[in-house]
Amino acid sequence: MVAEIGLFALVLALMIALAQSVVPLIGAKRGETQLMSFADAAAVVQLGFVVIAFAALVRAFMVTDLSLRVVVMHSNSAMPMLFKVTGVWGNHEGSLLLWVLILTLFGAALGLRGDNLPATLKARVLAVQGMISAAFLALMIFTSNPFARVSPAPADGQELNPLLQDVGLAIHPPFLYLGYVGFSVTFAFAIAALIEGKVDASWARFVRPWVLAAWCFLTIGITLGSFWAYYELGWGGWWFWDPVENASFMPWIVGTALLHSALVVERRQTLIVWTVLLAILTFSLSLVGTFLVRSGLLTSVHAFATDPSRGMGVLAILFAATGGGLVLFAMRAGSFDRPAVFAPVSREGGLILNNIFLVVAAGTVFVGTFYPLVVELLGPDKISVGPPYFNQTFVPLMIPLLVAVAVGPILRWKRDSLRRALGQLRPPAAVALVVALAVFVAGGGAHPFAAAAFGLAAWLVAASLWALALWVRLFREPWRRSATLARKVPRSVYGMVMAHAGLGLLVAGITGVTAFQEERILSMSPGDRVALAGYEVSLDRVEQLNGENFIAEQGQFTIERDGEPFAAMTSERRFYTVSRNTTTEAGIRAVVLSNLYVAIGEPNDGGQWVVRLYHHPLALLIWLGPLSMAAGGFVSLSDRRMRIGAPQRSLRRPQGVEA
């Protein structure tokens, strides 16, 4: 009965979404307040029904209701309760329901908190949100019903993919979806503006908080996914340019460009057409990722479908949203053209350069991701595009962008001098040079590229902090005066500093792991010892363990440094009896910002086990950097100027620095 209630709630939500798609548009066209305000109530009620459906599915997984097909396929009575709950979105049907839940949550938030929006704009935005909700609800109800029954019910179910039975996967998909779906709001704002024929500074001020929130959530989602791959897959890496990894990375790159171009629209009312186009493309790329994991085109732990027909509905939504958006854009964009009155060397010019590099970089990732799929669809040949392609195309684009990131906040709006801006950055340049030379000398000249990369990382961090120092006039005013100024600095400035510095930390982490990691792959018996990066690693013993739904071989290791015990580490090779899959649980010990990493593999005929040992210098920065970026975004969101409809404060900014 609970399942039927959940399905009925989804049907009611679809009916409301269809009404929300039409009624507010009619009201906006006629100027009828009651019809426009219908969107607010519809968005909230729609959320209520979707919450009922989601709660019904969660209950079904918690009690292992084996009359539901999705529970039978992705859960069983032996699974721990945490993974029963996360199994709700560890499959195609449940993940679609989570997507719709987050989509309606954003719609309800806009309906309840968007009082300062112009009535017609708000009505049209919510109508577009209703169309998106209706499309996904229809897809779920007619092709991917999470409440489909199975008869007769089996004695027990199968289980969630063992690789997904991890706490990291409990929180990674929700954050990822908050990012994906968050960009639907910016898409809705873009379509509403095209319908209305009006894009101005106030529109950009309404849009930017939504862009920033979606970007923050997507940053966290990608970071958590990378860390999960690092410790769960047992291969010692953190990014492989997997097509599904790329599918989440592309909207992040274009969303970063959108975030910066919207600032230009808000401040200077230029780049309007470009910003609207980016809003359409960012959400379209989010839909591309949704299509990839449901199309059957990929074989990946991230994929939810092996039946290509399951992805056709998402493909139809993708074509409708992208095609319809681009057609409307082509019809109406000409009316937004405004002359760009600024010099090439200016804040606007710097942000345009930022956008060019980001969009071209996203294009290289798109080509590398989809070209093998196109080749496979057109003929019998199969090709693979791996890390070498991305390293040789994406990385060179990032280097000049990272250099320019530090200069952008120093440039003035409309017109500036590059000599003046670079003159302001002499202290960060000196820090970067010292760091690069120190690394070069310490490495005996063997790692010139690593030295340059560490110098670039230092440049980003030092320049970010120096921009804040310029704001508070550090070393130019008495300390007490600088402290007073620091309290008056807009939070968006602190957020920018954290984000740009986090980018520098990420560069440092990637460089440390790439250039200086040490790796040993060998067969070990209990009692064997091996040297690794100044440590002595010994395999003490391998024990058999019984988990709730798996059996495991656990290798216990002792780490010594300078002849003294330093740490004890364990690694497991788990065998899940229901799905008959094997996973590796790596042992990781953080040493300051570096990691010792051990993963035990299969035994051989000689009674030895394959063991992978790594020392990853500065590895933790790979995840602390992006988390700092996301935290900076949330700090910026707390700025009063980022609230929807809030007027800008009139602040006297220090010369040469902009928020």
Side-chain angles (χ1 to χ4, degrees):
M1 183 62 182
V2 174
E4 282 67 32
I5 292 174
L7 180 58
F8 186 56
L10 289 180
V11 173
L12 292 176
L14 173 60
M15 296 173 64
I16 293 171
L18 290 172
Q20 182 182 329
S21 305
V22 177
V23 174
L25 289 179
I26 297 174
K29 185 175 181 61
R30 295 179 178 177
E32 296 184 18
T33 303
Q34 286 186 330
L35 294 181
M36 288 190 287
S37 62
F38 170 81
D40 298 348
V44 174
V45 174
Q46 186 187 160
L47 170 63
F49 283 124
V50 174
V51 167
I52 291 172
F54 191 79
L57 189 60
V58 170
R59 178 192 176 277
F61 271 84
M62 292 178 66
V63 301
T64 316
D65 183 354
L66 297 174
S67 68
L68 294 187
R69 181 180 180 277
V70 68
V71 177
V72 172
M73 296 299 294
H74 302 284
S75 186
N76 61 47
S77 57
M79 279 175 50
M81 182 57 70
L82 172 63
F83 303 137
K84 287 184 179 181
V85 174
T86 58
V88 172
W89 54 80
N91 58 83
H92 170 68
E93 294 85 357
S95 66
L96 273 181
L97 182 53
L98 176 64
W99 175 286
V100 173
L101 174 66
I102 296 174
L103 184 64
T104 54
L105 178 64
F106 275 105
L110 184 62
L112 293 173
R113 303 291 296 175
D115 293 340
N116 291 328
L117 283 167
T120 55
L121 177 63
K122 182 181 179 182
R124 290 179 171 122
V125 170
L126 286 173
V128 176
Q129 282 288 103
M131 295 176 192
I132 300 171
S133 296
F136 276 97
L137 284 164
L139 173 68
M140 183 164 43
I141 292 170
F142 295 113
T143 72
S144 307
N145 179 12
F147 300 104
R149 295 284 190 180
V150 60
S151 181
D156 207 347
Q158 299 180 31
E159 68 178 342
L160 182 65
N161 185 330
L163 287 173
L164 305 182
Q165 294 186 40
D166 179 81
V167 67
L169 264 292
I171 54 179
H172 160 60
F175 275 103
L176 204 63
Y177 284 10
L178 282 167
Y180 281 160
V181 179
F183 285 124
S184 71
V185 180
T186 63
F187 173 83
F189 268 101
I191 299 302
L194 290 172
I195 295 173
E196 205 163 78
K198 180 182 179 182
V199 178
D200 55 16
S202 62
W203 176 88
R205 194 157 57 248
F206 298 141
V207 169
R208 275 223 301 150
W210 296 100
V211 178
L212 185 54
W215 181 88
C216 291
F217 287 127
L218 188 56
T219 301
I220 296 173
I222 293 172
T223 304
L224 292 175
S226 169
F227 188 64
W228 165 80
Y230 177 73
Y231 72 78
E232 178 67 21
L233 299 185
W235 61 294
W238 57 276
W239 191 265
F240 194 66
W241 294 104
D242 176 272
V244 180
E245 291 176 333
N246 296 346
S248 63
F249 192 38
M250 288 185 289
W252 184 88
I253 299 172
V254 180
T256 304
L258 172 61
L259 183 61
H260 290 83
S261 67
L263 177 64
V264 180
V265 177
E266 179 182 349
R267 295 294 181 85
R268 300 290 300 157
Q269 297 193 48
T270 189
L271 294 188
I272 292 175
V273 174
W274 175 247
T275 302
V276 172
L277 178 61
L278 285 180
I280 295 172
L281 294 180
T282 304
F283 182 58
S284 298
L285 288 171
S286 297
L287 292 177
V288 165
T290 306
F291 167 70
L292 276 179
V293 298
R294 291 169 174 82
S295 62
L297 293 175
L298 301 174
T299 301
S300 168
V301 67
H302 306 83
F304 289 131
T306 55
D307 179 6
S309 63
R310 284 191 157 198
M312 295 307 296
V314 181
L315 187 62
I317 297 173
L318 171 61
F319 280 145
T322 305
L326 292 178
V327 168
L328 186 59
F329 175 81
M331 294 172 56
R332 307 298 293 270
S335 61
F336 299 140
D337 281 338
R338 294 184 183 179
V341 185
F342 58 86
V345 180
S346 62
R347 187 72 177 276
E348 297 93 327
L351 291 171
I352 289 175
L353 184 67
N354 158 291
N355 273 224
I356 291 173
F357 278 115
L358 287 171
V359 171
V360 173
T364 65
V365 177
F366 187 90
V367 171
T369 302
F370 283 94
Y371 182 68
L373 300 178
V374 173
V375 170
E376 186 174 343
L377 289 174
L378 295 179
D381 297 330
K382 291 187 178 182
I383 66 171
S384 61
V385 175
Y389 162 81
F390 295 102
N391 293 338
Q392 294 174 26
T393 57
F394 182 83
V395 174
L397 289 169
M398 289 296 99
I399 293 173
L401 174 62
L402 294 176
V403 172
V405 163
V407 182
I410 305 298
L411 291 172
R412 296 168 176 164
W413 293 102
K414 195 172 182 179
R415 178 176 287 103
D416 203 351
S417 164
L418 191 59
R419 176 178 294 181
R420 184 207 66 81
L422 293 178
Q424 295 269 20
L425 291 171
R426 282 192 294 267
V431 171
L433 181 61
V434 169
V435 170
L437 289 175
V439 173
F440 183 79
V441 172
H447 301 283
F449 294 107
F454 275 120
L456 180 58
W459 162 255
L460 287 166
V461 175
S464 302
L465 297 175
W466 187 246
L468 180 60
L470 292 176
W471 259 97
V472 302
R473 303 189 64 82
L474 193 64
F475 309 123
R476 301 183 183 183
E477 298 279 355
W479 287 97
R480 188 182 299 275
R481 173 60 177 164
S482 293
T484 301
L485 291 173
R487 290 193 294 269
K488 297 181 179 180
V489 170
R491 292 180 187 174
S492 59
V493 174
Y494 285 109
M496 177 199 69
V497 170
M498 294 173 64
H500 289 185
L503 185 58
L505 296 179
L506 172 62
V507 172
I510 293 173
T511 304
V513 171
T514 303
F516 300 108
Q517 74 169 356
E518 293 190 32
E519 173 186 2
R520 297 291 302 272
I521 302 176
L522 69 162
S523 296
M524 298 182 70
S525 299
D528 288 350
R529 299 169 65 88
V530 62
L532 176 74
Y535 297 90
E536 289 285 333
V537 182
S538 62
L539 174 59
D540 298 333
R541 57 189 173 274
V542 178
E543 296 182 343
Q544 300 290 324
L545 299 177
N546 292 321
E548 290 187 65
N549 60 333
F550 62 86
I551 56 177
E553 294 176 333
Q554 184 186 79
Q556 299 186 10
F557 298 82
T558 296
I559 315 297
E560 295 182 356
R561 185 167 62 182
D562 299 328
E564 298 292 331
F566 175 74
M569 298 176 63
T570 62
S571 174
E572 294 180 9
R573 182 172 174 267
R574 294 180 176 178
F575 178 73
Y576 289 79
T577 55
V578 175
S579 62
R580 307 192 69 80
N581 286 325
T582 302
T583 67
T584 299
E585 301 292 320
I588 301 174
R589 171 62 187 264
V591 184
V592 190
L593 295 174
S594 302
N595 278 340
L596 288 172
Y597 184 107
V598 57
I600 191 168
E602 297 183 356
N604 58 27
D605 295 336
Q608 296 178 310
W609 281 264
V610 176
V611 177
R612 305 172 71 96
L613 300 169
Y614 298 92
H615 177 251
H616 290 151
L618 303 181
L620 292 181
L621 294 180
I622 292 175
W623 303 287
L624 292 178
L627 291 178
S628 174
M629 295 164 65
F634 286 122
V635 170
S636 293
L637 272 175
S638 69
D639 193 319
R640 179 177 176 271
R641 297 178 301 168
M642 291 294 288
R643 296 174 190 166
I644 294 178
Q648 297 188 56
R649 285 184 292 181
S650 177
L651 291 173
R652 182 179 180 182
R653 299 181 176 87
Q655 185 177 10
V657 183
E658 294 284 356

